[in-house]
Amino acid sequence: LTIGGALTLSSMFRILQTMSIHKCIASFPLLCVLCAVWGCDPAPGVVETAPKAPTRDLAPPTRVISLGPNLTEFCFALGASDRLIGVTLDCDYPPAAREILSLGRYGSVDTERILGLEPDLVLIPEDGWLEDTARELSSLGLRVESVKLVSIGDLPAVATRMGVLLGLPEAGTRIAVAM
């Protein structure tokens, strides 16, 4: 965001992705006003795609690490909070998320600590901030799934995908339909 410059869709959604779903929805009207005031242009060379479908048919994970506040909220909403063994300091909603082991700040997590927890699934927001972390953890043999949430319109697809990733497809579909 540049004062007097254009707010790109990419930068607006990068801001939204770092927030919890609750804060994202509350902040979205303000960001729309900023777009209207300063102008909102798509970022050059950015091609948005739908969230990826899972590529493997695996047993439902029981030890999950969420490295994004929005992904942590989805875990709670889907009824999988008991599977969370690690989150970031920024995962503060619902309040019970604060009681889960913290692995660092969003964008700067302790990969050695993640490895030591032996998760069977690491959820990472697909926003570029944790790309190196995702590659490193994947190369060390961990199952890493990136979830891309570009706009509020993506929430139903993300709910469905998260349900599938967590082995709770019915819960994911129920939430997606309710949105």
Side-chain angles (χ1 to χ4, degrees), residues 35-69:
C35 274
V37 171
W38 283 327
C40 190
D41 303 316
V46 172
V47 177
E48 305 298 351
T49 59
K52 293 185 227 170
T55 56
R56 304 176 255 191
D57 188 22
L58 302 171
T62 58
R63 298 179 57 76
V64 178
I65 290 176
S66 170
L67 299 180

Side-chain angles (χ1 to χ4, degrees), residues 2-179:
T2 307
I3 302 297
L7 175 67
T8 65
L9 286 174
S10 178
S11 64
M12 181 175 84
F13 292 125
R14 182 170 297 253
I15 292 166
L16 292 173
Q17 286 175 325
T18 64
M19 299 177 183
S20 66
I21 292 169
H22 178 72
K23 291 176 186 173
C24 176
I25 291 170
S27 300
F28 190 72
L30 173 62
L31 290 173
C32 288
V33 169
L34 291 174
C35 274
V37 171
W38 283 327
C40 190
D41 303 316
V46 172
V47 177
E48 305 298 351
T49 59
K52 293 185 227 170
T55 56
R56 304 176 255 191
D57 188 22
L58 302 171
T62 58
R63 298 179 57 76
V64 178
I65 290 176
S66 170
L67 299 180
N70 54 357
L71 305 179
T72 299
E73 284 190 46
F74 271 111
C75 290
F76 274 86
L78 291 163
S81 61
D82 59 327
R83 301 179 191 184
L84 287 170
I85 59 170
V87 296
T88 68
L89 281 170
D90 305 291
C91 297
D92 60 1
Y93 189 85
R98 292 185 207 126
E99 298 176 23
I100 301 168
L101 177 67
S102 172
L103 301 167
R105 294 223 61 104
Y106 181 79
S108 177
V109 294
D110 185 344
T111 53
E112 288 183 25
R113 201 165 181 198
I114 291 172
L115 282 171
L117 290 172
E118 299 180 0
D120 47 18
L121 175 62
V122 179
L123 297 168
I124 294 184
E126 187 178 322
D127 61 7
W129 288 58
L130 292 168
E131 195 173 296
D132 293 338
T133 301
R135 243 190 317 275
E136 179 182 0
L137 293 173
S138 189
S139 73
L140 294 169
L142 294 182
R143 178 181 173 204
V144 177
E145 294 287 346
S146 296
V147 179
K148 189 169 190 174
L149 179 57
V150 176
S151 72
I152 288 178
D154 293 335
L155 289 171
V158 172
T160 301
R161 180 156 188 259
M162 288 286 294
V164 170
L165 291 173
L166 294 167
L168 301 165
E170 297 83 12
T173 300
R174 180 177 35 81
I175 290 171
V177 168
M179 293 180 162

